[in-house]
Amino acid sequence: MPSPRTVTSGPELHSPKQPAEPQTPVQGTRRASSVDAPSTHHEDGRLGLNTFRRAFSRVSQRASGQAPEEAWGLLRSSSRFLFRSLRRALNDGPTADQSQATAVPGAAHGPDMPSRVMDGVSQRSSTGMGPEELEPKAGKSVADLIAQRQLLAAFEQLRHLETRLVAEKASRTFEQDPTGFARRAMDVCLHYDGLAAEIGAVVRETLGPDGVDAAALAELARVVRAEEEAHPAPPADGDFLLTPRRWRQHWEDAVRRSAQERVQLAGAGEAPGAAEGASGLPGLLDELGGLVRCDLQRVQREVQPAYAAAGFPVWEAYLRAFHAAVAQRLQELARDARGCEQLYVLLHWVANVYGSPDFLGTSDLALPAEPLPPLLAPEVWARLESDYASSLETKITSCFDGILQLEQSRWAASEASDVLQGRYHTPLSIDVHMLVAQQVKVSGAISAELEATTLRICARALGLFVPRFEKVCLESELLSEPHLGANINACEELRTSLLARFPGTFEELEKPLMVATCNFQKRLLQGLQRDVQPLFKVLCTRAWLTQDVLLPLMDKVVAFALHLEHVAPPWAQETLQEVHRYVIREYLAQVLRPRDRFRGIERMTASQKMGLEAQAIGDTFQGLGSEATWLGQAIPCVADILGETDKDNIQRHLETLIGSYPDIRQDHVLAILALRRLGRRRNQRLLQHAQNLLRVAAKAGGSGAAVGHVLFEEIEVPTSVDLLITWI
């Protein structure tokens, strides 16, 4: 409220209907002779000002929460307008009617006229009534009525005095005493400002702890309506006294200030509905939401009915005021928000808590006719999303580091891989799925743009994680077959499920996942090959003719295949076929590089043993489920060539072999023919026929590598003296 020291007030204003106090003889004498008591008028003015100060001090106690700038603004605006009008009145007054000025006694004395004569003229020409007519004869003054919140009565008295003052001004009563008009006009303006300040105090206390005073609100609304009816538009002559006071706008400003004060209570432990034990930013936002919800429900339930008769847009005014206040508070919180968690809490509260249709707890609360502006400015929202995305990328990378460390700790502890739904299982796949799904879900709840950004972040982070995970796995000596099988399953799950669930985002992830899976499969096969490779060295020896060296080899193959039963079907079948091909290839490699040369009966025995073992190998892999049936002819064809008694049939066996395995080369044919002592001319004829068959197969484009049937191409045949002799 403004300090009374800074303004000069005239006599205190009272209702003209109230009788004046009885005058004492001393008072009558003092008022009758301005020559003997030239300061009487000023003493009356000080008396009215003191009374006004006392009343204003009571008003200021109620409006103590009102900002001093607001109160000073009211006085400054009134004063500036008042003095502009007074200046115009002073400039226009003497020129309006010079005859009245000359009619005043002593007016022609000029500057040397005695001051007591001017004092007497001033008092006699003041308002047509002495100051005693402004003293209360009974009842209350306007200031007292304002202090007691009899707002309508105060306005009616003030309006009556304003009308009377305007009429006296129009009748040129104040031409000879403009300062008298100024004092009374200032009193009117100050009382109007006091009434406006009291309106602001009533609004401020509406949502306070003392509850809603419905009668005070109803009277406030009637006062605002009465002022609007009394001052519908600015007067044509620019008279400041009749200028609209714009109390409705003042009421709306007070509502906004009240909402700002209420919102600032959040975090101070004074907000209604504050969560017990809530702390930090989440607790503050919970408290803020509870406060706004409670206050707006109270507005709808108690405040709006009190204004209903006056037709005030109470609900919309309070809703917009609280919306603006919350927006301002969130702007402050946004400046201090740091880290992924705080940024998410802020974005989530704006998008999903405050923006929820049931935020106010009831669906029957009407929304404003015009949509509310965004709670956060677009540039602030964009900055928060950008900061959140940056923090989220760091967080997700850290999460992948943690997943890798957990996997390494499992390997070091020699923990066996679990079997889930018939497959080897590692938490890796579930951890990655949960990480991606959770981050995408919470981001999507905030905005579609943030969801897309989060998907890209997850895809990029996972694309960097897979090669790291692959490298660590392949460098570790602690991985067993179940661990490798679990890793293959995890990569396959990620490749299929992520691509299906988030199409268009994880396509670039398919290649590194496929590379990792193939390398895990290769590592798995290498373990089997190390175990069985020594067993192949016994083949095609004289000891092999009398021993069953194939059984231990196939036992290891069967034990290995049991692990493949817990691997994802496409990779299990592919791995089993690769094992099948490996066994046939290594068997043939030993046959084409024999340690011992068989002749006569030994050659026939070796041919028969090869046929039996080829059957055993085929039956075993068929029982394991291998679909590589194309491998079944390789060993029998070579065995037939080795044991064929009719040398003319060897050409037919070669045709079958070359037709079934077009990747066979000339050196392979030479090695096979070297198993027999066929003679120079027959070898040349068979070799020439084989070369023709190979050329035809090459022209037909029937390369075994093209269709994935590669067998002889990977068999190395050294050039030996026997091969050279055969070639010659």
Side-chain angles (χ1 to χ4, degrees):
M1 297 302 296
S3 173
R5 293 194 302 268
T6 62
V7 296
T8 303
S9 176
E12 186 174 357
L13 300 182
H14 303 278
S15 171
K17 298 178 182 179
Q18 297 171 354
E21 293 181 359
Q23 298 181 2
T24 63
V26 176
Q27 289 173 326
T29 305
R30 196 180 300 137
R31 290 189 178 93
S33 176
S34 63
V35 176
D36 297 333
S39 63
T40 302
H41 192 87
H42 301 290
E43 292 172 358
D44 292 338
R46 285 192 295 273
L47 178 62
L49 179 58
N50 290 333
T51 305
F52 187 63
R53 283 175 178 169
R54 290 194 302 273
F56 250 47
S57 66
R58 291 193 293 271
V59 174
S60 63
Q61 291 173 2
R62 288 194 181 96
S64 59
Q66 189 175 6
E69 291 80 359
E70 173 200 352
W72 281 115
L74 288 171
L75 286 178
R76 281 197 298 267
S77 61
S78 297
S79 300
R80 285 195 300 268
F81 196 46
L82 171 65
F83 290 127
R84 284 199 302 268
S85 300
L86 287 177
R87 190 178 298 113
R88 185 168 57 249
L90 289 171
N91 293 335
D92 296 342
T95 60
D97 191 357
Q98 296 292 339
S99 60
Q100 293 187 14
T102 57
V104 177
H109 293 283
D112 298 330
M113 178 180 61
S115 61
R116 60 181 182 176
V117 176
M118 290 303 299
D119 289 339
V121 172
S122 175
Q123 180 162 344
R124 286 192 300 272
S125 61
S126 59
T127 63
M129 58 180 178
E132 67 275 2
E133 297 186 31
L134 296 175
E135 297 296 331
K137 298 177 182 178
K140 303 173 182 177
S141 68
V142 175
D144 289 335
L145 291 173
I146 294 174
Q148 296 173 12
R149 290 201 171 167
Q150 299 181 33
L151 304 183
L152 190 58
F155 175 75
E156 290 175 352
Q157 290 191 24
L158 193 58
R159 171 60 178 159
H160 184 85
L161 295 173
E162 177 190 51
T163 304
R164 181 175 177 181
L165 185 60
V166 169
E168 291 175 352
K169 176 188 174 184
S171 64
R172 302 184 183 278
T173 305
F174 295 101
E175 281 190 348
Q176 301 304 320
D177 188 15
T179 57
F181 172 77
R183 286 193 300 272
R184 293 183 60 186
M186 177 63 78
D187 278 343
V188 171
C189 290
L190 288 175
H191 282 81
Y192 269 131
D193 291 345
L195 195 52
E198 193 67 17
I199 290 174
V202 172
V203 173
R204 178 178 178 273
E205 297 171 7
T206 298
L207 298 177
D210 296 334
V212 177
D213 188 346
L217 296 182
E219 184 168 0
L220 183 154
R222 289 195 296 271
V223 168
V224 173
R225 290 291 298 272
E227 191 278 330
E228 290 176 341
E229 294 173 359
H231 308 129
D237 58 357
D239 192 342
F240 69 93
L241 287 174
L242 298 178
T243 299
R245 302 292 168 173
R246 305 188 183 280
W247 282 352
R248 185 180 293 267
Q249 181 64 43
H250 177 67
W251 172 81
E252 293 178 356
D253 294 340
V255 169
R256 283 192 290 270
R257 286 190 296 272
S258 173
Q260 291 173 355
E261 292 175 0
R262 298 291 297 170
V263 165
Q264 290 300 323
L265 293 177
E270 303 176 13
E276 290 290 336
S279 60
L281 183 60
L284 189 148
L285 291 175
D286 287 344
E287 192 173 339
L288 177 61
L291 182 145
V292 174
R293 185 182 304 109
C294 180
D295 280 357
L296 286 178
Q297 288 175 350
R298 192 175 176 189
V299 167
Q300 191 224 20
R301 186 175 56 252
E302 303 178 29
V303 179
Q304 188 172 5
Y307 286 97
F312 269 47
V314 176
W315 171 247
E316 183 168 348
Y318 271 96
L319 184 63
R320 291 188 178 278
F322 271 98
H323 182 79
V326 171
Q328 180 180 350
R329 186 71 188 276
L330 289 179
Q331 295 275 7
E332 300 169 358
L333 296 176
R335 287 194 295 269
D336 300 330
R338 296 292 183 273
C340 187
E341 286 73 18
Q342 285 192 355
L343 291 167
Y344 171 73
V345 165
L346 193 60
L347 291 168
H348 170 74
W349 192 87
V350 173
N352 301 321
V353 178
Y354 186 84
S356 172
D358 56 352
F359 171 71
L360 296 178
T362 176
S363 59
D364 59 349
L365 295 179
L367 295 175
E370 297 181 2
L372 297 171
L375 198 59
L376 291 175
E379 61 274 10
V380 176
W381 179 267
R383 179 182 63 79
L384 290 177
E385 282 193 340
S386 176
D387 293 347
Y388 173 73
S390 300
S391 300
L392 181 63
E393 189 164 10
T394 303
K395 177 182 178 181
I396 290 177
T397 301
S398 176
C399 289
F400 278 122
D401 292 341
I403 291 174
L404 183 58
Q405 292 174 3
L406 288 175
E407 287 295 309
Q408 290 177 297
S409 64
R410 289 180 60 251
W411 305 336
S414 300
E415 294 183 11
S417 295
D418 299 329
V419 178
L420 184 63
Q421 296 180 347
R423 297 185 186 180
Y424 286 133
H425 169 73
T426 174
L428 170 70
S429 176
I430 292 180
D431 291 344
V432 172
H433 275 93
M434 290 183 61
L435 175 63
V436 174
Q438 180 182 8
Q439 297 303 326
V440 171
K441 180 180 178 181
V442 298
S443 299
I446 293 174
S447 70
E449 294 79 7
L450 190 58
E451 179 182 17
T453 301
T454 303
L455 273 173
R456 290 192 295 270
I457 291 173
C458 291
R460 185 163 55 248
L462 189 55
L464 296 174
F465 168 77
V466 170
R468 289 177 54 212
F469 175 71
E470 173 195 344
K471 181 180 179 181
V472 171
C473 288
L474 297 180
E475 291 176 351
S476 175
E477 298 295 335
L478 303 174
L479 265 70
S480 61
E481 287 84 357
H483 288 143
L484 289 168
N487 291 342
I488 291 174
N489 292 338
C491 290
E492 179 64 15
E493 290 172 5
L494 291 174
R495 187 182 68 84
T496 55
S497 61
L498 288 178
L499 290 177
R501 185 172 181 180
F502 306 108
T505 304
F506 287 91
E507 276 76 5
E508 296 181 358
L509 191 62
E510 184 172 11
K511 182 177 179 180
L513 284 173
M514 286 292 293
V515 170
T517 307
C518 291
N519 287 332
F520 292 148
Q521 181 193 49
K522 184 178 179 180
R523 172 73 177 272
L524 194 62
L525 288 169
Q526 288 172 348
L528 173 66
Q529 292 170 3
R530 284 194 301 267
D531 289 343
V532 301
Q533 187 65 38
L535 301 177
F536 283 106
K537 295 180 179 180
V538 187
L539 295 175
C540 296
T541 63
R542 285 186 172 85
W544 164 68
L545 294 176
T546 59
Q547 297 177 8
D548 188 1
V549 299
L550 185 65
L551 182 60
L553 188 151
M554 296 309 295
D555 286 343
K556 289 182 178 294
V557 169
V558 171
F560 177 83
L562 293 177
H563 292 298
L564 298 180
E565 294 179 358
H566 304 300
V567 177
W571 292 100
Q573 180 59 223
E574 183 177 324
T575 306
L576 182 61
Q577 291 186 32
E578 189 63 25
V579 173
H580 191 175
R581 190 175 71 90
Y582 167 76
V583 171
I584 299 296
R585 185 185 70 217
E586 290 301 313
Y587 192 101
L588 289 174
Q590 296 300 322
V591 171
L592 297 183
R593 295 192 302 265
R595 293 174 179 267
D596 298 319
R597 294 290 176 178
F598 300 125
R599 292 181 177 87
I601 204 71
E602 288 182 341
R603 180 171 56 79
M604 297 300 296
T605 302
S607 174
Q608 292 174 1
K609 190 173 183 63
M610 286 175 61
L612 292 175
E613 288 183 343
Q615 183 66 38
I617 292 172
D619 291 344
T620 300
F621 278 103
Q622 185 178 1
L624 294 175
S626 173
E627 298 175 359
T629 56
W630 61 278
L631 295 168
Q633 293 294 322
I635 298 176
C637 283
V638 176
D640 290 342
I641 293 174
L642 181 64
E644 182 61 56
T645 57
D646 187 353
K647 295 181 180 180
D648 292 334
N649 291 333
I650 292 178
Q651 180 175 327
R652 180 170 52 82
H653 296 315
L654 278 176
E655 291 175 353
T656 302
L657 185 63
I658 294 173
S660 300
Y661 306 98
D663 66 322
I664 194 171
R665 299 190 306 268
Q666 178 176 290
D667 54 347
H668 296 127
V669 176
L670 287 173
I672 293 171
L673 294 177
L675 298 176
R676 298 290 302 266
R677 299 293 181 177
L678 298 175
R680 175 174 171 270
R681 294 180 64 182
R682 187 179 295 276
N683 281 337
Q684 285 182 342
R685 188 173 64 252
L686 291 173
L687 183 59
Q688 185 65 40
H689 185 65
Q691 289 175 342
N692 293 334
L693 292 175
L694 291 174
R695 282 194 295 269
V696 172
K699 289 181 180 180
S703 173
V707 295
H709 293 174
V710 178
L711 181 62
F712 284 91
E713 184 178 324
E714 297 177 354
I715 298 176
E716 297 292 335
V717 180
T719 302
S720 64
V721 176
D722 291 335
L723 290 178
L724 290 176
I725 293 174
T726 303
W727 174 250
I728 293 172

